[in-house]
């Protein structure tokens, strides 16, 4: 086993401390060390967006970031954007617009869309497409996803 | 209460877990004591293995074992074909791990097992593999020379010629007033799933039980393959289907890893997990599509198609995989598409090359056939100076000709016929949707520096492959009902669809159908899986049969408790009533009945695509202004998911039409080894797409009337886009003859046209 480092950060509002090899990605750390398997890994080279999480509010590819780089950060995953009681307005909108099939890309789209709508609740369809073009979905053809995000804007307006 | 869940656009129950990140894909399952596998793959396309030395790798940190062919007494087992398993193909099947020779970049050579996946990969550079390189066979034109052969004993690179025949094509050609001949080709694509493949296996020596996680698509069949390979009866193998991140024909077939990982688990006595990475996926998962046709069409002067004949050549890659022959077979049988063609003669050759082997990818052979014929129809109409839409109208099969016999394929003796439908109807509807009178005026026009073009094509989609599917209903302890199926999910939303069908058949609320389980081998006695757009039709029909048996059993059991005649008993949501009394359903917990659906015939849904695009002649770039797909699916169980299938498959098809191409150099080295090189459609690429689902002509061959409908968007996308480009650039005489329609290819066509004009 190689050299390890202890790193402390916050995940979904809870402080965590992990002892990992410096080369471990944040995606692998979330999935395998912290067992938050909602964050998916589809390419490991920063192209597909399935691993997108929020780091200090910004959408970040967890496969391109090392776990040790998260020191002191606030990380939010799809689990942190969900609750048991009910789907959130964004999730409801995805369901209504059939914005997912196999569901593998979905956590990455939810986190990306959440970051976008939090910052720009008035974004238009072109802007939504532009931002979502960093995430790949092989099932839906994107039409439902874009409609879902547009339809969820109302819930993010102050 | 008379239910009508069927036909309603119902939100999916699967979504509740996926949206919260609670899906459970195979890599999400963790077991104690796990060893991680990494697979060392050949970097040489073609060569003789001289030696493999793993001793240094074994000393690397964390490494537990390294497995090679030498660990398999009697040599590695081969992976047998599942579809068209002809004896002629036997010598071309793939050993589970490279043995004596390597035949493509990506072929497994050694499996390293270590405490972490990173340590297993770290050990690769300590494995010494000596390979004597042989000349690579990089495409079918090289293959046919047979200078370098992949399988020495065979002496030829051609594994098969499928012969598709109807009527007497040669005679029809001899007397035809008009013949057009063209050479056309499609790119190499693959059914890239966003979730890479993965297998996890555990071996319980005490119970003699092998458990496989990550099963998909055809778990029962794969269990039989593994049973024969590993020497365990099927009862001692359990296949567990987890959530599956996309299938598209490629995932869930039996691959070498589906033997290697269970073997490793049994070999070490430890649970073993292997998760493919994306670079691996690009060279290990089945490729598809790369086909070239030399095709002739004979016509009357009015555009009536008299006959089709020609040859198709498929670049098969290095081995005949489980379903590898399907594309080459389909392209020959479905070359005539939805058109009335009395005489057909197609010879389809399968060429072995030093590339990743092919298998099916959504719309196998149909995507290619559609591109070939639809491209030719437009060229013919132009040359004969007839309207290309009238030419299609003239030749489309009508309702009164159904069932319509199609070409028979040898040597499999595949006799088939279309089942139902009035094909011109979807064409008219698509033209109406796109507002033909308005957009037709734009054809070939240059507006603001961009040429406008309209593509119009028609297609046929096969579905519902037999022979059988099984379903089972069971009363739960809380009075709800569980449904178990032999078919699988590859992300299509089958849980919702089957719940709709069961709730309708039992006349209960949809919530009463509490769980829908599928795909794992423990649930029903037998199952066939999710391929050939068959899940809904076959599984759904089996649910109807199971519901009948289940209701009969409930009535009988209820009659005893209620002291009345079985005929007087009804299922009333959460209780059985009869003779003025009732008894709660939960008191029948454990009562269960299976049902089956047997079927030898296929369903054929059909439709039309119409696309309005622009081409920027400076950049060679295509933009879609509007795109309409109209498909008659017989009966839409859930219009929401049918439309989802339509648009999703359309965008995959557009990827193949304009972006996707797996490229190799002449040494058999892949040039598109990452997602930065193999381009997939993104959210910003194709914003203007529409789908219209019709269900006017139910299928007569199953009780639901449903037809397979997962491929309609993809099949015709290549043909439609190519015709749209030709239409846009008609004033320049540009005729695309290959896919993808990349900016570079379009630019090259424009340069050629420019040179011709200058001469
Ligand atoms: S896994 Fe991180 S971008 Fe694909
Ligand atoms: S839903 Fe399957 S990849 Fe997006």
């Amino acid at each position: 086993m190689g050299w390890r480092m202890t790193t402390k950060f916050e995940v979904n509002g809870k402080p965590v401390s992990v002892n990992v090899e410096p080369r471990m990605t944040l995606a692998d750390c979330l999935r395998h060390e912290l067992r938050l398997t909602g964050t998916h890994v589809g390419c490991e080279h920063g192209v597909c967006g399935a691993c997108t999480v929020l780091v200090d509010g910004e959408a970040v590819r967890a496969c391109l970031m090392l776990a040790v780089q998260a020191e002191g950060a606030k990380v939010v995953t799809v689990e942190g954007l969900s609750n048991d009681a009910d789907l959130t307005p964004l999730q409801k909108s995805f369901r209504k617009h059939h914005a997912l099939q196999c569901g593998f890309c979905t956590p990455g789209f939810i986190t990306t869309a959440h970051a976008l709508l939090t910052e720009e609740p008035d974004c238009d369809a072109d802007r939504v497409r532009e931002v979502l073009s960093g995430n790949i979905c092989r099932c839906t053809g994107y039409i439902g996803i874009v409609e879902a995000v547009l339809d969820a804007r109302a819930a993010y307006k102050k | 209460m008379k239910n009508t869940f069927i036909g309603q656009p119902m939100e999916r129950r699967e979504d509740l877990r996926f949206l919260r990140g609670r899906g459970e894909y195979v890599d999400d399952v963790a077991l104690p004591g796990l060893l991680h596998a990494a697979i060392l793959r050949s970097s040489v396309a073609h060569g003789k293995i001289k030696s493999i030395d793993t001793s240094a790798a074994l000393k690397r940190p964390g490494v537990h074992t390294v497995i090679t062919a030498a660990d398999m007494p009697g040599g590695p087992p081969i992976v047998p074909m599942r579809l068209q398993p002809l004896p002629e193909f036997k010598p071309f099947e793939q050993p589970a791990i490279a043995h004596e020779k390597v035949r493509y970049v990506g072929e497994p050579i050694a499996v390293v097992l270590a405490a972490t996946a990173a340590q297993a990969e770290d050990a690769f550079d300590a494995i010494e593999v000596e390979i004597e390189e042989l000349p690579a066979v990089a495409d079918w034109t090289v293959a046919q020379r047979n200078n370098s052969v992949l399988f020495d004993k065979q002496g030829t690179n051609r594994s098969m010629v499928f012969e598709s025949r109807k009527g007497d094509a040669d005679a029809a050609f001899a007397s035809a007033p008009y013949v057009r001949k063209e050479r056309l080709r499609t790119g190499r694509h693959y059914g890239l799933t966003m979730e890479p493949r993965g297998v996890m296996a555990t071996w319980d020596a005490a119970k003699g039980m092998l458990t496989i996680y990550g099963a998909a698509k055809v778990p029962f069949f794969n269990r039989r393959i593994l049973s024969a390979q590993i020497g365990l009866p099927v009862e001692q193998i359990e296949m567990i289907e987890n959530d599956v991140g996309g299938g598209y024909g490629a995932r869930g077939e039996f691959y070498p890893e589906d033997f290697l990982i269970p073997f490793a688990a049994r070999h070490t006595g430890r649970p073993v997990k292997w998760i493919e990475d994306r670079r691996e996926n690009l060279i290990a998962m089945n490729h598809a599509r790369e086909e070239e046709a030399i095709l002739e069409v004979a016509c009357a002067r009015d555009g009536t198609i008299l006959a089709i004949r020609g040859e198709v050549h498929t670049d098969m890659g290095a081995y005949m995989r489980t379903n590898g022959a399907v594309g080459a077979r389909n392209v020959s049988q479905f070359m005539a598409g939805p058109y009335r063609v009395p005489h057909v003669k197609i010879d389809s050759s399968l060429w072995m090359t030093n590339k990743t082997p092919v298998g099916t990818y959504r719309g196998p052979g149909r995507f290619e056939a559609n591109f070939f014929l639809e491209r030719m129809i437009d060229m013919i109409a132009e040359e004969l100076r007839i309207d290309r839409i009238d030419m299609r109208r003239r030749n489309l099969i009508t309702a009164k000709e159904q069932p319509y016999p199609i070409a028979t394929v040898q040597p499999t003796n595949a006799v088939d016929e279309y089942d139902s439908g009035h094909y011109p109807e979807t064409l008219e509807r698509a033209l109406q949707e796109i507002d033909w009178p308005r957009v037709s005026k734009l054809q070939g026009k240059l507006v603001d520096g961009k040429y406008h073009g309209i593509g119009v094509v028609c297609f046929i989609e096969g579905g519902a492959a037999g022979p059988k599917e099984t379903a089972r209903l069971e009363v739960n302890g809380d009075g709800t009902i569980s449904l178990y199926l032999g078919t699988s999910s590859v992300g299509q939303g089958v849980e919702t669809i089957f719940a709709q069908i069961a709730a309708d058949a039992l006349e209960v609320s949809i919530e009463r159908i509490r769980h829908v389980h599928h795909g794992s081998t423990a649930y029903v006695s037998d199952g066939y899986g999710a391929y050939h757009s068959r899940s809904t039709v076959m599984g759904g029909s089996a649910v109807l049969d199971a519901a009948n048996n289940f209701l009969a059993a409930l009535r009988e059991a209820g009659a005893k408790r209620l002291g009345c005649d079985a005929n007087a008993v009804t299922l009333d949501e959460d209780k059985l009533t009869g003779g003025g009394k009732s008894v709660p359903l939960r008191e029948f917990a454990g009562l269960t009945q299976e049902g089956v659906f047997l079927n030898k015939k296929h369903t054929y849904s059909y439709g039309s695509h119409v696309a309005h695009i622009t081409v920027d002649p400076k950049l060679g770039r295509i933009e879609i202004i509007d795109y309409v797909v109209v498909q008659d699916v017989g009966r839409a169980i859930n219009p929401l998911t049918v439309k989802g299938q339509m648009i999703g498959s359309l965008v995959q098809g557009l990827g193949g039409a304009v972006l996707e191409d797996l490229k190799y150099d002449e040494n058999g080295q892949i040039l598109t080894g990452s997602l930065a090189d193999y381009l997939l459609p993104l959210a910003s690429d194709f914003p203007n797409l529409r789908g219209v689902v019709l269900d006017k002509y139910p299928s007569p061959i199953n009780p639901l009337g449903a037809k397979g409908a997962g491929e309609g968007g993809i099949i015709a996308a290549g043909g439609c886009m190519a015709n749209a480009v030709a239409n846009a650039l008609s004033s320049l005489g540009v005729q695309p003859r290959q896919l993808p329609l990349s900016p570079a290819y379009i630019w090259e066509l424009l340069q050629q046209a420019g040179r011709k004009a200058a001469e």
Side-chain angles (χ1 to χ4, degrees):
Chain A
M1 203 68 50
W3 171 53
R4 286 174 169 257
M5 276 172 75
T6 299
T7 303
K8 291 184 180 16
F9 50 101
E10 193 184 297
V11 179
N12 299 332
K14 288 194 199 93
V16 297
S17 169
V18 294
N19 184 245
V20 296
E21 283 188 74
R23 68 170 169 176
M24 179 177 269
T25 64
L26 178 60
D28 282 348
C29 178
L30 290 167
R31 290 180 50 74
H32 301 307
E33 298 290 318
L34 301 169
R35 299 293 305 144
L36 289 167
T37 55
T39 299
H40 294 159
V41 172
C43 72
E44 292 174 279
H45 52 260
V47 181
C48 77
C51 64
T52 307
V53 297
L54 307 179
V55 177
D56 295 330
E58 250 180 79
V60 162
R61 277 148 212 267
C63 74
L64 293 185
M65 183 169 168
L66 300 174
V68 294
Q69 290 175 301
E71 176 74 35
K74 286 186 170 47
V75 177
V76 177
T77 68
V78 66
E79 289 93 342
L81 298 178
S82 309
N83 64 74
D84 282 342
D86 200 0
L87 295 178
T88 65
L90 180 61
Q91 289 167 332
K92 278 189 185 146
S93 190
F94 265 62
R95 190 175 187 217
K96 174 175 152 202
H97 291 280
H98 191 29
L100 63 156
Q101 288 180 25
C102 77
F104 192 77
C105 69
T106 309
F109 276 95
I110 291 283
T111 48
T112 305
H114 178 79
L116 170 65
L117 294 179
T118 305
E119 283 298 308
E120 303 173 41
D122 295 311
C123 55
D124 64 7
D126 284 346
R127 177 68 180 146
V128 169
R129 286 190 175 273
E130 181 191 338
V131 171
L132 295 187
S133 70
N135 292 56
I136 300 177
C137 173
R138 190 64 159 162
C139 293
T140 64
Y142 305 106
I143 303 284
I145 299 178
V146 173
E147 282 170 1
V149 174
L150 289 171
D151 204 9
R153 284 178 302 188
Y156 285 82
K157 286 186 189 152
K158 303 248 158 61
Chain B
M1 175 172 61
K2 187 74 198 139
N3 277 342
T4 49
F5 294 118
I6 293 180
Q8 276 187 45
M10 298 196 62
E11 293 184 353
R12 304 190 322 160
R13 38 174 79 194
E14 296 84 337
D15 294 355
L16 297 173
R17 63 178 188 273
F18 293 155
L19 283 163
R20 292 176 164 114
R22 291 191 193 150
E24 193 175 67
Y25 303 85
V26 58
D27 191 30
D28 301 341
V29 187
L31 291 172
L34 203 56
L35 286 175
H36 294 265
I39 297 171
L40 176 71
R41 297 175 183 277
S42 179
S43 58
V44 171
H46 193 194
K48 281 203 182 82
I49 300 175
K50 290 285 165 193
S51 64
I52 305 172
D53 182 356
T54 60
S55 52
L58 286 167
K59 300 193 191 98
R60 286 295 182 88
V63 172
H64 181 285
T65 309
V66 181
I67 292 168
T68 66
D71 295 296
M72 297 162 201
I78 58 110
V79 179
M81 290 178 75
R82 180 171 68 84
L83 300 173
Q84 293 95 32
L86 298 165
E88 294 90 328
F89 286 132
K90 271 276 155 229
F92 300 96
E93 289 172 340
Q94 180 165 8
I97 194 161
H99 183 49
E100 292 166 357
K101 257 186 130 177
V102 289
R103 296 186 174 89
Y104 65 95
V105 170
E107 184 161 1
I109 292 178
V111 184
V112 183
L113 305 176
T116 70
Q119 287 172 327
E121 274 179 50
D122 285 347
F124 283 171
D125 62 15
I127 300 176
E128 298 269 349
V129 184
E130 201 191 325
I131 294 175
E132 177 192 323
E133 286 199 44
L134 296 166
V137 176
D139 64 37
W140 80 266
T141 58
V142 179
Q144 65 164 356
R145 285 183 226 132
N146 287 326
N147 290 338
S148 180
V149 291
L150 275 74
F151 298 85
D152 306 318
K153 282 198 202 109
Q154 305 312 308
T156 172
N157 289 317
R158 182 154 70 177
S159 62
M160 170 65 61
V161 186
F162 283 120
E163 296 180 349
S164 169
R165 299 289 185 267
K166 181 181 171 185
D168 185 349
D170 289 337
F173 269 89
S175 62
Y178 170 88
V179 172
R180 174 103 182 205
K181 184 173 184 177
E182 288 293 338
R183 188 170 179 139
L184 303 143
R185 65 181 299 271
T186 53
R188 193 174 190 86
H189 310 161
Y190 86 116
L192 178 154
T193 53
M194 287 322 296
E195 182 202 13
R197 292 177 304 138
V199 185
M200 183 166 73
T202 65
W203 170 241
D204 182 335
K207 292 202 191 107
M209 196 69 197
L210 190 58
T211 305
I212 322 289
Y213 299 80
K217 188 178 180 181
V218 285
F220 285 91
F221 194 92
N222 289 356
R223 180 166 71 162
R224 290 196 286 275
I225 297 182
L226 185 60
S227 154
Q229 288 177 332
I230 213 158
L232 278 175
V234 288
E235 299 75 34
Q236 286 171 251
I237 302 175
E238 188 180 351
M239 312 284 281
I240 297 178
E241 184 195 51
N242 304 90
D243 282 321
V244 175
Y248 324 128
R251 192 197 186 88
E253 288 296 326
F254 201 102
Y255 285 87
E257 299 84 0
D258 293 285
F259 167 77
L260 294 174
I261 303 308
F263 176 85
R266 204 176 171 199
H267 190 73
T268 58
R270 298 266 299 268
V272 176
K273 183 194 259 188
W274 166 74
I275 300 296
E276 188 175 52
D277 73 27
R278 181 60 64 191
R279 287 159 48 88
E280 224 182 346
N281 176 260
L282 278 144
I283 52 175
M285 200 172 198
N286 287 340
H287 286 184
R289 295 276 194 267
E290 190 174 7
E291 295 188 341
E292 183 153 10
I294 301 158
L295 207 59
E296 288 179 285
V297 178
C299 291
R301 291 263 155 212
D302 64 1
T304 303
I305 301 175
L306 304 173
I308 300 177
R309 107 184 137 181
E311 44 190 78
V312 182
H313 303 277
T314 302
D315 186 321
M316 296 301 300
Y319 295 101
M320 292 304 305
R321 280 199 174 160
T322 52
N323 59 10
V326 174
R329 194 210 76 93
N330 281 359
V331 75
S332 71
Q333 189 165 34
F334 297 98
M335 192 63 89
Y339 302 105
R340 180 190 310 107
V341 180
H343 307 285
V344 178
K345 179 186 180 188
I346 307 283
D347 289 346
S348 179
S349 294
L350 285 66
W351 298 101
M352 310 315 290
T353 63
N354 293 116
K355 294 180 185 168
T356 299
V358 308
T360 63
Y361 170 35
R362 215 170 189 181
R366 303 172 198 276
F367 175 92
E368 299 90 316
N370 188 271
F371 168 70
F372 298 148
L373 184 66
E374 291 291 340
R375 201 66 278 280
M376 289 200 70
I377 291 177
D378 269 21
M379 290 195 242
I380 291 166
E382 188 186 33
E383 194 173 33
L384 290 175
R385 295 176 187 286
I386 54 180
D387 182 86
R388 59 191 170 132
I389 294 168
D390 284 342
M391 179 163 169
R392 288 180 170 82
R393 285 186 179 121
R394 185 179 295 282
N395 291 292
L396 282 169
I397 296 162
T398 57
K400 61 179 189 299
E401 296 165 88
Q402 302 282 11
Y404 184 84
I406 60 170
T408 298
V409 185
Q410 300 297 357
T412 48
N413 198 30
V415 181
D416 209 344
E417 61 185 24
Y418 295 156
D419 55 343
S420 67
H422 188 59
Y423 300 172
E425 205 167 282
T426 56
L427 173 60
E428 302 306 335
R429 178 65 185 269
L431 292 170
Q432 188 190 326
E433 288 285 334
I434 201 109
D435 193 1
W436 181 253
R438 184 180 61 82
V439 296
S440 59
K441 295 194 189 78
L442 286 166
Q443 297 181 84
K445 287 259 164 62
L446 184 63
V447 183
D448 297 332
K450 288 177 185 167
Y451 289 100
H452 286 248
I454 322 288
V456 181
V457 300
C458 303
F459 70 93
I460 192 95
E461 171 185 348
K468 180 179 160 189
E469 202 46 81
T470 311
R472 184 165 66 80
L473 285 156
E474 182 172 326
V475 181
N476 299 325
D478 62 356
T480 60
I481 295 167
S482 283
L483 174 57
Y484 298 86
L485 282 124
T487 182
S488 356
S489 169
V490 283
Q492 328 90 311
V494 292
E495 291 168 30
T496 310
I497 289 166
F498 291 140
Q500 288 176 269
I501 296 170
D504 266 10
L506 299 174
E507 297 190 28
V508 294
S509 70
I510 196 125
E511 292 77 25
R512 180 76 28 204
I513 312 299
R514 180 74 190 284
H515 302 289
V516 180
H517 301 281
H518 47 77
S520 297
T521 51
Y523 295 147
V524 294
S525 55
D526 197 5
Y528 287 83
Y531 59 96
H532 195 252
S533 295
R534 69 186 296 284
S535 280
T536 303
V537 176
M538 295 297 295
S541 299
V543 170
L544 290 184
D545 189 52
N548 276 335
N549 297 340
F550 182 70
L551 278 178
L554 277 179
R555 282 198 193 99
E556 208 167 296
K560 283 194 195 119
R561 290 287 303 277
L562 297 163
C564 66
D565 195 68
N567 288 326
V569 179
T570 56
L571 169 59
D572 184 7
E573 188 61 24
D574 58 351
K575 55 188 178 299
L576 295 182
T577 50
K581 287 184 287 182
S582 74
V583 48
L585 188 57
R586 64 170 183 274
E587 295 190 11
F588 300 91
L591 185 144
T592 183
Q593 282 293 314
E594 266 194 7
V596 295
F597 181 63
L598 301 167
N599 177 30
K600 283 207 189 73
K601 293 184 167 178
H602 295 141
T603 63
Y604 287 94
S605 60
Y606 58 92
S608 299
H609 288 208
V610 182
H612 174 194
I613 66 157
T614 61
V615 181
D616 181 335
K618 288 206 192 73
L619 302 174
R621 258 194 58 128
I622 299 172
E623 198 180 321
I624 295 178
I625 308 293
D626 192 9
Y627 197 120
V628 181
V629 178
V630 179
Q631 185 172 7
D632 192 314
V633 300
R635 187 161 181 211
I637 309 295
N638 185 341
L640 190 66
T641 61
V642 178
K643 208 179 257 186
Q645 289 288 315
M646 209 178 221
I647 297 294
S649 69
L650 172 58
V651 171
Q652 285 186 338
L654 293 172
V658 306
L659 298 167
E660 295 173 43
D661 202 5
L662 290 156
K663 284 213 166 77
Y664 282 82
D665 71 10
E666 69 279 5
N667 299 316
Q669 293 294 329
I670 189 160
L671 302 174
T672 45
S674 80
L675 292 192
D677 311 295
Y678 185 74
L679 301 179
L680 296 167
L682 302 175
S684 48
D685 287 333
F686 308 115
N688 306 311
L689 312 172
R690 296 187 281 147
V692 177
V693 180
L694 302 179
D695 50 4
K696 290 203 176 161
Y697 290 88
S699 175
I701 68 165
N702 68 74
L704 288 166
K707 298 181 175 186
E711 306 170 6
I714 197 168
I715 289 170
C720 188
M721 290 298 281
N723 281 352
V725 168
N727 183 247
L729 304 177
S730 53
S731 61
L732 309 171
V734 165
Q735 296 290 7
R737 288 181 172 82
Q738 71 182 52
L739 297 176
L741 303 157
S742 63
Y745 177 56
I746 291 179
W747 193 80
E748 185 189 311
L749 288 173
L750 287 165
Q751 294 303 105
Q752 282 170 12
R755 278 196 298 277
K756 244 188 230 151
E759 272 158 25

